Amino acid sequence: MIEISRRARDIGGEVERFVRDVIVPFETDGRRDHHGAPTEELVREMRDLANDAGLMTPHILEDGSHLTQVETAHVLIRSGLSPLGPLALNTNAPDEGNMYLLGHVGSDHLKKKFLGRLVSGEERSAFFMTEPAEWGGAGSDPSMMKTTCRKDGNHWVVNGRKVFITGADGAGVGIVMAKAESVEEGGGACMFIVDLPDPAIRIERVPNTIDNSMPGGHASVAIENLRVPADQMLGEAGEGFRYAQVRLSPARLSHCMRWLGAAMRCQEIAIDYVCRREAFGKLLIDHEGVGFMLAQNQIDLKQAELMVFWCASILDSGDLGTTESSMTKVAVSEALMRVADNCVQVLGGTGVTDKTVVEQVFRELRAFRIYDGPTEVHKWSLAKKIKKAQQRKAVP
């Protein structure tokens, strides 16, 4: 049984009240961009309210320390009760993961220059890793990275292309991954942190996507002779993939936390509807087909919650939790998709309209099954580990 500290329960309670009472009404606010994402004006207004309530970035405490992963789960689940909640409270991706990475890998100089701006919610950030498929660049396989970096005096020069860069349009801070051109320069992946916007990072387009909760969308960018001071490299040259592992599991898990909250809200909306709506002489909830769908939702939600807290406890033990976070990401994203689908179904015609937030959450969860590694990649990775473990057993 996972024990939630009084500290986390208190913060979580305040976050839940804030999201339900203050942020949910903004779900019908018309300030949206070309593909339905909240505008900077809307984000700023909600963040001002979060600041006034003392709830900005609630998982990072006043002294700069971070809640445990179990405590973070308790809080972030509640921040996700509205798709706007993580934006308002600064618990959203990619900022949450970028703050975690900078806090664990960044030098004192980089923390002083960049971290405060992110923790305060003053600026958003972007993580530049994924590359175009038609370019043969890195997607689910980061070893395919084609964006390069080379040393030039006391700077590094970066060239390449990136796609699906969440929040790049409007971000103030960026973390860029590139591959060193020579062995002498590290011969592997490198991470750089940069101020944005930068004329060397050119946004080519922001496509319309199935999801629209992220301001700035998911941009395609060209990087042309980006000059980065050498002291703005995160860690050591050639160690970028190792540092990415530091960010990977917590960031992957925090997605599960936030979308669990959203799916819980969908279930609430669906239950309220079927306990009021009548058809064929009785309430919808009394029809076995409807009742069974919502019962299965309760099972899926509880299983997802238990997986999240189990994985969080693994991370709190000091383990990287790569295997556990893969398992959790697969189980939770698939379960929550079933939950949202059932909620759309029992709401009937209402479920496919924007009358409730259920339709949006359904779309967002469909995208989540791909983001941070498609289900199939995680299963493939787990299968490789199963095979390796069996082979070790077979060695006399």
Side-chain angles (χ1 to χ4, degrees):
M1 181 69 179
I2 298 291
E3 292 291 333
I4 307 298
S5 69
R6 172 58 66 94
R7 173 177 68 176
R9 289 201 303 271
D10 289 345
I11 296 172
E14 292 181 30
V15 165
E16 179 167 352
R17 284 189 293 273
F18 178 77
V19 172
R20 290 188 184 278
D21 297 342
V22 179
I23 298 304
V24 165
F26 282 103
E27 290 174 353
T28 56
D29 194 296
R31 287 173 287 179
R32 304 281 173 156
D33 68 11
H34 75 285
H35 79 122
T39 63
E40 299 294 342
E41 179 187 9
L42 177 54
V43 173
R44 187 72 271 154
E45 183 175 335
M46 293 189 297
R47 289 192 171 187
D48 286 345
L49 293 169
N51 263 319
D52 292 344
L55 292 174
M56 179 60 65
T57 324
H59 58 297
I60 298 180
L61 306 178
E62 288 186 8
D63 62 1
S65 62
H66 199 291
L67 293 179
T68 68
Q69 286 296 310
V70 166
E71 291 174 324
T72 297
H74 184 79
V75 173
L76 263 61
I77 288 169
R78 284 149 183 81
S79 77
L81 287 166
S82 166
L84 294 174
L87 286 174
L89 294 160
N90 202 27
T91 63
N92 55 300
D95 298 311
E96 191 275 333
N98 290 345
M99 287 185 281
Y100 186 92
L101 175 64
L102 185 53
H104 282 74
V105 177
S107 64
D108 290 340
H109 161 68
L110 293 181
K111 290 177 186 176
K112 184 176 180 180
K113 183 173 182 180
F114 293 101
L115 190 55
R117 293 150 57 182
L118 297 181
V119 173
S120 69
E122 173 189 346
E123 293 180 347
R124 294 190 290 101
S125 63
F127 191 81
F128 295 76
M129 187 176 77
T130 305
E131 298 173 340
E134 63 272 15
W135 191 45
S140 297
D141 182 356
S143 69
M144 295 169 64
M145 186 167 295
K146 296 186 70 175
T147 297
T148 62
C149 59
R150 60 178 174 80
K151 194 77 178 292
D152 182 21
N154 63 349
H155 284 73
W156 287 78
V157 180
V158 182
N159 283 281
R161 299 170 64 194
K162 300 289 182 179
V163 292
F164 301 118
I165 307 306
T166 303
D169 188 7
V173 176
I175 296 176
V176 180
M177 286 198 72
K179 188 174 182 180
E181 289 184 349
S182 68
V183 174
E184 292 76 17
E185 295 171 336
C190 303
M191 280 189 181
F192 304 92
I193 186 164
V194 299
D195 287 295
L196 295 175
D198 188 299
I201 300 179
R202 177 168 48 85
I203 294 176
E204 297 181 315
R205 64 186 292 262
V206 181
N208 290 319
T209 56
I210 194 172
D211 62 332
N212 56 10
S213 66
M214 305 292 193
H218 309 288
S220 299
V221 304
I223 303 175
E224 299 171 348
N225 295 319
L226 171 67
R227 295 186 64 83
V228 186
D231 64 0
Q232 287 184 203
M233 177 182 284
L234 280 172
E236 301 296 325
E239 297 293 327
F241 289 145
R242 184 166 68 86
Y243 301 140
Q245 292 297 315
V246 173
R247 181 187 189 276
L248 183 64
S249 293
R252 183 184 290 160
L253 185 61
S254 68
H255 275 302
C256 297
M257 300 171 188
R258 291 183 293 263
W259 291 119
L260 173 57
M264 291 166 63
R265 172 98 177 288
C266 290
Q267 177 79 339
E268 293 174 4
I269 292 169
I271 290 172
D272 175 69
Y273 181 80
V274 301
C275 288
R276 289 185 292 104
R277 180 77 162 106
E278 290 188 5
F280 304 102
K282 56 185 176 181
L283 291 171
L284 289 183
I285 188 66
D286 293 326
H287 290 277
E288 192 173 78
V290 173
F292 277 18
M293 281 191 281
L294 295 178
Q296 183 60 52
N297 280 1
Q298 291 289 87
I299 295 168
D300 280 335
L301 288 169
K302 178 53 67 176
Q303 289 176 332
E305 180 185 36
L306 292 173
M307 287 288 285
V308 166
F309 280 112
W310 165 69
C311 185
S313 67
I314 296 294
L315 296 180
D316 282 335
S317 74
D319 194 293
L320 280 176
T322 306
T323 297
E324 292 83 0
S325 65
S326 279
M327 293 169 64
T328 301
K329 200 275 181 176
V330 170
V332 171
S333 64
E334 298 292 325
L336 299 186
M337 185 66 196
R338 291 192 296 270
V339 169
D341 186 50
N342 283 342
C343 289
V344 169
Q345 192 72 13
V346 301
L347 287 170
T350 298
V352 296
T353 73
D354 60 2
K355 187 174 181 179
T356 76
V357 77
V358 172
E359 177 268 341
Q360 181 188 353
V361 174
F362 174 84
R363 289 186 287 103
E364 303 283 347
L365 285 169
R366 184 61 188 85
F368 176 40
R369 291 176 60 206
I370 294 173
Y371 298 157
D372 266 326
T375 294
E376 294 73 23
V377 171
H378 288 293
K379 288 182 176 180
W380 172 74
S381 176
L382 290 167
K384 287 203 304 179
K385 292 174 182 177
I386 291 168
K387 178 182 178 181
K388 186 178 292 186
Q390 181 62 28
Q391 289 173 334
R392 282 199 298 266
K393 286 181 183 179
V395 174

PDB file of all heavy atoms in Angstrom, residues 23 41 45 51 67-68 93 96 138 187 246 267:
ATOM      1  N   ILE A  23     -10.128  26.646 -13.016  1.00  0.00           N
ATOM      2  CA  ILE A  23      -9.637  26.350 -14.367  1.00  0.00           C
ATOM      3  C   ILE A  23     -10.686  25.712 -15.266  1.00  0.00           C
ATOM      4  O   ILE A  23     -10.778  26.044 -16.459  1.00  0.00           O
ATOM      5  CB  ILE A  23      -8.381  25.459 -14.293  1.00  0.00           C
ATOM      6  CG1 ILE A  23      -7.268  26.199 -13.553  1.00  0.00           C
ATOM      7  CG2 ILE A  23      -7.916  25.062 -15.692  1.00  0.00           C
ATOM      8  CD1 ILE A  23      -6.901  27.556 -14.136  1.00  0.00           C
ATOM      9  N   GLU A  41      -2.145  34.389 -24.374  1.00  0.00           N
ATOM     10  CA  GLU A  41      -2.932  35.255 -23.490  1.00  0.00           C
ATOM     11  C   GLU A  41      -3.715  34.438 -22.473  1.00  0.00           C
ATOM     12  O   GLU A  41      -3.748  34.758 -21.276  1.00  0.00           O
ATOM     13  CB  GLU A  41      -3.890  36.113 -24.317  1.00  0.00           C
ATOM     14  CG  GLU A  41      -4.772  37.021 -23.478  1.00  0.00           C
ATOM     15  CD  GLU A  41      -5.838  37.737 -24.297  1.00  0.00           C
ATOM     16  OE1 GLU A  41      -6.003  37.392 -25.482  1.00  0.00           O
ATOM     17  OE2 GLU A  41      -6.505  38.628 -23.740  1.00  0.00           O
ATOM     18  N   GLU A  45      -3.114  34.301 -18.357  1.00  0.00           N
ATOM     19  CA  GLU A  45      -4.182  34.613 -17.404  1.00  0.00           C
ATOM     20  C   GLU A  45      -4.350  33.495 -16.382  1.00  0.00           C
ATOM     21  O   GLU A  45      -4.481  33.753 -15.171  1.00  0.00           O
ATOM     22  CB  GLU A  45      -5.490  34.860 -18.146  1.00  0.00           C
ATOM     23  CG  GLU A  45      -6.636  35.272 -17.230  1.00  0.00           C
ATOM     24  CD  GLU A  45      -7.898  35.642 -17.988  1.00  0.00           C
ATOM     25  OE1 GLU A  45      -7.788  36.046 -19.171  1.00  0.00           O
ATOM     26  OE2 GLU A  45      -8.997  35.533 -17.402  1.00  0.00           O
ATOM     27  N   ASN A  51      -0.498  31.664  -9.715  1.00  0.00           N
ATOM     28  CA  ASN A  51       0.465  32.380  -8.878  1.00  0.00           C
ATOM     29  C   ASN A  51      -0.218  33.025  -7.691  1.00  0.00           C
ATOM     30  O   ASN A  51       0.271  32.959  -6.555  1.00  0.00           O
ATOM     31  CB  ASN A  51       1.197  33.441  -9.710  1.00  0.00           C
ATOM     32  CG  ASN A  51       2.540  32.958 -10.220  1.00  0.00           C
ATOM     33  OD1 ASN A  51       3.281  32.296  -9.496  1.00  0.00           O
ATOM     34  ND2 ASN A  51       2.860  33.292 -11.458  1.00  0.00           N
ATOM     35  N   LEU A  67       9.182  17.331  -4.894  1.00  0.00           N
ATOM     36  CA  LEU A  67       8.424  16.268  -4.244  1.00  0.00           C
ATOM     37  C   LEU A  67       8.942  14.909  -4.701  1.00  0.00           C
ATOM     38  O   LEU A  67       9.499  14.783  -5.796  1.00  0.00           O
ATOM     39  CB  LEU A  67       6.939  16.381  -4.593  1.00  0.00           C
ATOM     40  CG  LEU A  67       6.148  17.585  -4.070  1.00  0.00           C
ATOM     41  CD1 LEU A  67       4.706  17.501  -4.564  1.00  0.00           C
ATOM     42  CD2 LEU A  67       6.187  17.675  -2.560  1.00  0.00           C
ATOM     43  N   THR A  68       8.770  13.890  -3.892  1.00  0.00           N
ATOM     44  CA  THR A  68       9.101  12.546  -4.339  1.00  0.00           C
ATOM     45  C   THR A  68       8.208  12.204  -5.529  1.00  0.00           C
ATOM     46  O   THR A  68       7.193  12.876  -5.787  1.00  0.00           O
ATOM     47  CB  THR A  68       8.862  11.511  -3.231  1.00  0.00           C
ATOM     48  OG1 THR A  68       7.440  11.408  -2.975  1.00  0.00           O
ATOM     49  CG2 THR A  68       9.580  11.897  -1.947  1.00  0.00           C
ATOM     50  N   ALA A  93       3.850  18.972 -19.947  1.00  0.00           N
ATOM     51  CA  ALA A  93       4.982  18.581 -20.790  1.00  0.00           C
ATOM     52  C   ALA A  93       5.153  19.633 -21.880  1.00  0.00           C
ATOM     53  O   ALA A  93       4.166  20.234 -22.311  1.00  0.00           O
ATOM     54  CB  ALA A  93       4.710  17.216 -21.413  1.00  0.00           C
ATOM     55  N   GLU A  96       7.709  20.150 -17.494  1.00  0.00           N
ATOM     56  CA  GLU A  96       7.955  19.376 -16.272  1.00  0.00           C
ATOM     57  C   GLU A  96       9.200  18.511 -16.428  1.00  0.00           C
ATOM     58  O   GLU A  96      10.066  18.481 -15.549  1.00  0.00           O
ATOM     59  CB  GLU A  96       6.712  18.527 -15.952  1.00  0.00           C
ATOM     60  CG  GLU A  96       6.726  17.871 -14.582  1.00  0.00           C
ATOM     61  CD  GLU A  96       7.463  16.539 -14.581  1.00  0.00           C
ATOM     62  OE1 GLU A  96       7.509  15.893 -15.646  1.00  0.00           O
ATOM     63  OE2 GLU A  96       7.988  16.166 -13.514  1.00  0.00           O
ATOM     64  N   ALA A 138      15.973  10.619 -36.498  1.00  0.00           N
ATOM     65  CA  ALA A 138      15.608   9.891 -35.289  1.00  0.00           C
ATOM     66  C   ALA A 138      14.140  10.091 -34.932  1.00  0.00           C
ATOM     67  O   ALA A 138      13.638  11.210 -34.923  1.00  0.00           O
ATOM     68  CB  ALA A 138      16.484  10.340 -34.128  1.00  0.00           C
ATOM     69  N   GLY A 187      31.824  12.092 -30.012  1.00  0.00           N
ATOM     70  CA  GLY A 187      31.370  11.024 -30.879  1.00  0.00           C
ATOM     71  C   GLY A 187      29.990  10.480 -30.585  1.00  0.00           C
ATOM     72  O   GLY A 187      29.618   9.417 -31.057  1.00  0.00           O
ATOM     73  N   VAL A 246      17.890  10.044 -17.748  1.00  0.00           N
ATOM     74  CA  VAL A 246      17.541  10.675 -16.471  1.00  0.00           C
ATOM     75  C   VAL A 246      16.166  11.316 -16.577  1.00  0.00           C
ATOM     76  O   VAL A 246      15.346  11.247 -15.653  1.00  0.00           O
ATOM     77  CB  VAL A 246      18.601  11.735 -16.082  1.00  0.00           C
ATOM     78  CG1 VAL A 246      18.163  12.526 -14.852  1.00  0.00           C
ATOM     79  CG2 VAL A 246      19.955  11.065 -15.850  1.00  0.00           C
ATOM     80  N   GLN A 267     -14.848   9.986 -16.636  1.00  0.00           N
ATOM     81  CA  GLN A 267     -15.710   9.018 -15.965  1.00  0.00           C
ATOM     82  C   GLN A 267     -16.763   9.728 -15.110  1.00  0.00           C
ATOM     83  O   GLN A 267     -17.936   9.327 -15.096  1.00  0.00           O
ATOM     84  CB  GLN A 267     -14.855   8.085 -15.104  1.00  0.00           C
ATOM     85  CG  GLN A 267     -15.617   7.063 -14.285  1.00  0.00           C
ATOM     86  CD  GLN A 267     -16.094   5.854 -15.071  1.00  0.00           C
ATOM     87  OE1 GLN A 267     -16.216   5.908 -16.296  1.00  0.00           O
ATOM     88  NE2 GLN A 267     -16.358   4.769 -14.374  1.00  0.00           N
TER      89      GLN A 267
END
